[in-house]
Amino acid sequence: MKLELVIVDDSPLWLSLAEKLASAHPLVGGVLTFEDSYDAWIHIQIAKPQVVMADIEMPGMNGFSFLEMYGNRLPFISSSTKLDFEVIARELGCVDFIAKPFSKQAFFKSIDLVYDRIYGKRSA
């Protein structure tokens, strides 16, 4: 089974980087991206994706808003340039937090963690 991932980030640069990394990960089957948090919110309600990666610092609905609504029902990866946000994001239910700028290794580790949370630990 492969993951269907939704990425929400108002920065085209970070959105593009995350999309490229996700597309290269062997456990990711599909990636859908949103720059607008409200468009993402509508999609999440309708499509109920497997995993969402959301930037915390966005205009309109920020990553904390997403976590407050879905954090206990949907696996989330939170990302931010502000490391102080990690504690709050985890308290709101994110599975993992990636500090920006993130590396390919950190991104892949986060995807692996979410995959294992959904499907159980993979054998090495």
Side-chain angles (χ1 to χ4, degrees):
M1 305 273 309
K2 292 194 175 192
L3 298 174
E4 294 299 319
L5 175 66
V6 168
I7 304 171
V8 188
D9 199 316
D10 63 312
S11 166
L13 173 68
W14 288 113
L15 192 63
S16 175
L17 176 62
E19 180 179 25
K20 285 179 184 167
L21 290 174
S23 296
H25 195 291
L27 296 176
V28 176
V31 181
L32 190 57
T33 62
F34 293 91
E35 277 186 55
D36 184 281
S37 59
Y38 291 108
D39 288 343
W41 176 69
I42 291 168
H43 175 78
I44 291 167
Q45 288 186 67
I46 295 169
K48 297 179 182 24
Q50 287 178 292
V51 183
V52 176
M53 177 179 179
D55 179 32
I56 291 182
E57 302 166 85
M58 295 185 288
M61 293 180 65
N62 62 33
F64 291 139
S65 298
F66 280 104
L67 284 169
E68 287 171 348
M69 286 185 282
Y70 303 108
N72 294 323
R73 298 179 292 158
L74 181 63
F76 262 81
I77 300 168
S78 296
S79 66
S80 178
T81 57
K82 295 183 179 164
L83 296 177
D84 296 348
F85 288 160
E86 180 175 4
V87 172
I88 300 166
R90 289 191 185 276
E91 287 173 356
L92 291 172
C94 80
V95 173
D96 202 15
F97 179 91
I98 302 179
K100 292 178 181 177
F102 48 79
S103 66
K104 177 180 179 181
Q105 181 182 10
F107 187 91
F108 274 35
K109 182 180 172 216
S110 190
I111 295 295
D112 291 345
L113 181 66
V114 170
Y115 187 93
D116 291 347
R117 177 79 54 95
I118 293 171
Y119 295 113
K121 200 82 169 148
R122 292 164 283 126
S123 58

